[in-house]
Amino acid sequence: MTPEHKARFRMNIMELSEDIDAIEHLDFLEKNEVLSVYLKQKIKSISIPRDRNSALIEALPSRGERAFVLFCRSLSERSHQPWLVDILQGKALVGHMSVNQKKALRINHKQLEDDLDVEMYLDYLWQQTVITDYIKECVLAQRTEIERKRELLNALPSRGEKAFLVFCETLRKNQYWLADLLEASVEQNAEPN
């Protein structure tokens, strides 16, 4: 793996560990000879999902250049997480969403699921490059409204520091109470200086 790719793995280990499911990728990576049978079983045997995900992310940089390409392919095709590929390839929005912003989305997930009108905001989020064509298509491909909401809400934390701000900005136009709720949660979780 190139030094640049290794650096991107190191820089994004926390985000990748939270957002992937290692189990989804292990068979594919073993089949394509990125992981040995032994390493696959060792990672698979880790019972805590976050630790299992971290073990996979930590193992990949030493597995050669094909490891980067094939892992990106697996993220895109097998787990439908192309925004993580964008992050690894340096195409993501600048910076990461703050921990407090991610926490605000997580704590208010149910309220957002209940009230959010996804179709009202999807095009704007796409125009502002908060979401990619692929994420937009994935959201629209969901069969029910609740599934569309979940798809969008699950994608947002990986879309960079701009995503939260643009999401709140667009909510303020028609569902201001949701923007207020998110912004208040960020402030409440902010650490005192």
Side-chain angles (χ1 to χ4, degrees):
M1 195 174 285
T2 68
E4 182 182 350
H5 290 160
K6 287 180 182 181
R8 288 209 182 111
F9 266 95
R10 276 192 311 275
M11 192 169 53
N12 295 293
I13 191 163
M14 294 290 288
E15 187 144 11
L16 290 166
S17 295
E18 288 175 11
D19 292 345
I20 69 164
D21 179 359
I23 298 294
E24 291 181 339
H25 306 285
L26 292 174
D27 289 336
F28 176 81
L29 294 171
E30 185 222 342
K31 180 182 173 188
N32 286 282
E33 300 177 352
V34 170
L35 299 178
S36 65
V37 174
Y38 171 77
L39 185 53
K40 173 188 153 187
Q41 291 305 325
K42 183 177 174 185
I43 293 169
K44 201 173 192 175
S45 71
I46 299 171
S47 60
I48 300 170
R50 185 181 170 92
D51 293 346
R52 185 172 48 238
N53 297 342
S54 293
L56 175 61
I57 299 305
E58 289 169 3
L60 287 172
S62 65
R63 306 305 296 176
E65 184 55 33
R66 291 181 64 245
F68 183 83
V69 173
L70 289 168
F71 182 64
C72 287
R73 187 169 140 203
S74 187
L75 283 171
S76 186
E77 295 174 6
R78 301 179 68 75
S79 64
H80 306 291
Q81 294 176 301
W83 58 91
L84 294 177
V85 177
D86 290 346
I87 289 170
L88 286 173
Q89 293 177 343
K91 297 177 189 172
L93 299 173
V94 178
H96 297 283
M97 187 177 284
S98 78
V99 171
N100 289 337
Q101 290 168 335
K102 286 181 181 183
K103 190 172 182 181
L105 286 170
R106 190 172 48 251
I107 354 185
N108 296 297
H109 192 90
K110 178 70 174 125
Q111 186 70 47
L112 289 165
E113 233 178 47
D114 291 344
D115 294 348
L116 184 65
D117 183 348
V118 172
E119 283 79 12
M120 187 182 299
Y121 306 113
L122 205 56
D123 283 334
Y124 184 76
L125 293 171
W126 175 77
Q127 289 168 353
Q128 296 298 311
T129 67
V130 168
I131 60 172
T132 62
D133 290 336
Y134 185 83
I135 293 172
K136 183 179 175 186
E137 289 171 16
C138 286
V139 170
L140 293 172
Q142 301 305 308
R143 292 179 42 209
T144 67
E145 177 69 16
I146 196 79
E147 289 170 343
R148 287 188 285 279
K149 291 175 185 184
R150 285 180 185 149
E151 188 75 23
L152 177 62
L153 293 171
N154 289 337
L156 284 175
S158 301
R159 297 306 301 155
E161 63 187 343
K162 177 182 164 186
F164 186 86
L165 301 174
V166 173
F167 185 56
C168 287
E169 171 191 313
T170 191
L171 286 173
R172 190 148 307 287
K173 294 174 185 173
N174 294 301
Q175 294 183 297
Y176 63 89
W177 65 93
L178 292 176
D180 291 345
L181 184 69
L182 289 172
E183 291 167 349
S185 293
V186 169
E187 287 178 27
Q188 185 178 11
N189 291 313
E191 295 180 31
N193 291 333

